[in-house]
PDB file of all heavy atoms in Angstrom:
ATOM      1  N   MET V 164     119.874  -9.403 -46.727  1.00 97.00           N
ATOM      2  CA  MET V 164     120.692 -10.265 -47.584  1.00 97.00           C
ATOM      3  C   MET V 164     122.171 -10.054 -47.262  1.00 97.00           C
ATOM      4  O   MET V 164     122.677  -8.941 -47.364  1.00 97.00           O
ATOM      5  CB  MET V 164     120.439  -9.945 -49.069  1.00 97.00           C
ATOM      6  CG  MET V 164     118.975  -9.998 -49.474  1.00 97.00           C
ATOM      7  SD  MET V 164     118.226 -11.638 -49.369  1.00 97.00           S
ATOM      8  CE  MET V 164     118.781 -12.381 -50.879  1.00 97.00           C
ATOM      9  N   ALA V 166     125.382 -10.833 -48.801  1.00 95.00           N
ATOM     10  CA  ALA V 166     125.965 -11.349 -50.055  1.00 95.00           C
ATOM     11  C   ALA V 166     127.484 -11.452 -49.908  1.00 95.00           C
ATOM     12  O   ALA V 166     128.008 -12.470 -49.464  1.00 95.00           O
ATOM     13  CB  ALA V 166     125.533 -10.460 -51.213  1.00 95.00           C
ATOM     14  N   ASN V 225     127.279 -10.862 -57.960  1.00 93.00           N
ATOM     15  CA  ASN V 225     127.203 -10.909 -56.493  1.00 93.00           C
ATOM     16  C   ASN V 225     125.779 -10.987 -55.954  1.00 93.00           C
ATOM     17  O   ASN V 225     125.500 -10.537 -54.842  1.00 93.00           O
ATOM     18  CB  ASN V 225     127.945  -9.726 -55.849  1.00 93.00           C
ATOM     19  CG  ASN V 225     129.448  -9.939 -55.881  1.00 93.00           C
ATOM     20  OD1 ASN V 225     129.913 -11.075 -56.006  1.00 93.00           O
ATOM     21  ND2 ASN V 225     130.196  -8.858 -55.797  1.00 93.00           N
ATOM     22  N   TYR V 226     124.865 -11.543 -56.760  1.00 95.00           N
ATOM     23  CA  TYR V 226     123.549 -11.894 -56.232  1.00 95.00           C
ATOM     24  C   TYR V 226     123.671 -13.266 -55.576  1.00 95.00           C
ATOM     25  O   TYR V 226     124.405 -14.129 -56.066  1.00 95.00           O
ATOM     26  CB  TYR V 226     122.492 -11.956 -57.341  1.00 95.00           C
ATOM     27  CG  TYR V 226     121.873 -10.615 -57.615  1.00 95.00           C
ATOM     28  CD1 TYR V 226     122.469  -9.714 -58.481  1.00 95.00           C
ATOM     29  CD2 TYR V 226     120.692 -10.243 -56.977  1.00 95.00           C
ATOM     30  CE1 TYR V 226     121.920  -8.472 -58.718  1.00 95.00           C
ATOM     31  CE2 TYR V 226     120.128  -8.990 -57.207  1.00 95.00           C
ATOM     32  CZ  TYR V 226     120.749  -8.113 -58.077  1.00 95.00           C
ATOM     33  OH  TYR V 226     120.196  -6.882 -58.288  1.00 95.00           O
ATOM     34  N   ILE V 227     122.929 -13.433 -54.479  1.00 97.00           N
ATOM     35  CA  ILE V 227     122.931 -14.734 -53.812  1.00 97.00           C
ATOM     36  C   ILE V 227     122.121 -15.717 -54.662  1.00 97.00           C
ATOM     37  O   ILE V 227     121.051 -15.364 -55.170  1.00 97.00           O
ATOM     38  CB  ILE V 227     122.330 -14.603 -52.399  1.00 97.00           C
ATOM     39  CG1 ILE V 227     123.173 -13.621 -51.558  1.00 97.00           C
ATOM     40  CG2 ILE V 227     122.246 -15.964 -51.714  1.00 97.00           C
ATOM     41  CD1 ILE V 227     122.597 -13.310 -50.188  1.00 97.00           C
ATOM     42  N   GLY V 230     118.849 -17.717 -53.987  1.00 98.00           N
ATOM     43  CA  GLY V 230     118.464 -16.389 -53.539  1.00 98.00           C
ATOM     44  C   GLY V 230     116.994 -16.071 -53.748  1.00 98.00           C
ATOM     45  O   GLY V 230     116.138 -16.967 -53.789  1.00 98.00           O
ATOM     46  N   LEU V 231     116.719 -14.784 -53.878  1.00 98.00           N
ATOM     47  CA  LEU V 231     115.351 -14.326 -54.122  1.00 98.00           C
ATOM     48  C   LEU V 231     115.344 -13.069 -54.981  1.00 98.00           C
ATOM     49  O   LEU V 231     114.330 -12.392 -55.100  1.00 98.00           O
ATOM     50  CB  LEU V 231     114.598 -14.100 -52.799  1.00 98.00           C
ATOM     51  CG  LEU V 231     115.253 -13.250 -51.710  1.00 98.00           C
ATOM     52  CD1 LEU V 231     115.315 -11.782 -52.034  1.00 98.00           C
ATOM     53  CD2 LEU V 231     114.488 -13.429 -50.405  1.00 98.00           C
ATOM     54  N   GLY V 232     116.481 -12.758 -55.614  1.00 97.00           N
ATOM     55  CA  GLY V 232     116.566 -11.528 -56.405  1.00 97.00           C
ATOM     56  C   GLY V 232     116.921 -10.366 -55.503  1.00 97.00           C
ATOM     57  O   GLY V 232     117.563 -10.538 -54.457  1.00 97.00           O
ATOM     58  N   ASP V 233     116.500  -9.167 -55.912  1.00 96.00           N
ATOM     59  CA  ASP V 233     116.806  -7.959 -55.131  1.00 96.00           C
ATOM     60  C   ASP V 233     115.723  -7.766 -54.071  1.00 96.00           C
ATOM     61  O   ASP V 233     114.570  -7.444 -54.407  1.00 96.00           O
ATOM     62  CB  ASP V 233     116.895  -6.747 -56.056  1.00 96.00           C
ATOM     63  CG  ASP V 233     117.404  -5.528 -55.304  1.00 96.00           C
ATOM     64  OD1 ASP V 233     116.776  -5.126 -54.307  1.00 96.00           O
ATOM     65  OD2 ASP V 233     118.447  -4.989 -55.700  1.00 96.00           O
ATOM     66  N   PHE V 234     116.082  -7.964 -52.812  1.00 97.00           N
ATOM     67  CA  PHE V 234     115.095  -7.903 -51.726  1.00 97.00           C
ATOM     68  C   PHE V 234     114.409  -6.534 -51.694  1.00 97.00           C
ATOM     69  O   PHE V 234     113.185  -6.438 -51.603  1.00 97.00           O
ATOM     70  CB  PHE V 234     115.749  -8.197 -50.381  1.00 97.00           C
ATOM     71  CG  PHE V 234     114.759  -8.282 -49.260  1.00 97.00           C
ATOM     72  CD1 PHE V 234     114.235  -9.504 -48.865  1.00 97.00           C
ATOM     73  CD2 PHE V 234     114.328  -7.135 -48.599  1.00 97.00           C
ATOM     74  CE1 PHE V 234     113.289  -9.584 -47.851  1.00 97.00           C
ATOM     75  CE2 PHE V 234     113.378  -7.206 -47.584  1.00 97.00           C
ATOM     76  CZ  PHE V 234     112.862  -8.431 -47.207  1.00 97.00           C
ATOM     77  N   GLY V 235     115.209  -5.457 -51.749  1.00 96.00           N
ATOM     78  CA  GLY V 235     114.643  -4.097 -51.650  1.00 96.00           C
ATOM     79  C   GLY V 235     113.660  -3.828 -52.781  1.00 96.00           C
ATOM     80  O   GLY V 235     112.591  -3.274 -52.557  1.00 96.00           O
TER      81      GLY V 235
HETATM   82  N1  URA J 301     121.031  -8.003 -52.138  1.00 84.56           N
HETATM   83  C1  URA J 301     119.869  -8.524 -52.593  1.00 84.56           C
HETATM   84  O1  URA J 301     118.811  -7.917 -52.464  1.00 84.56           O
HETATM   85  N2  URA J 301     119.899  -9.724 -53.181  1.00 84.56           N
HETATM   86  C2  URA J 301     121.036 -10.431 -53.347  1.00 84.56           C
HETATM   87  O2  URA J 301     120.988 -11.539 -53.898  1.00 84.56           O
HETATM   88  C3  URA J 301     122.240  -9.876 -52.860  1.00 84.56           C
HETATM   89  C4  URA J 301     122.212  -8.658 -52.261  1.00 84.56           C
END
Side-chain angles (χ1 to χ4, degrees):
M164 306 295 279
N225 283 339
Y226 273 85
I227 299 174
L231 50 71
D233 188 302
F234 186 94

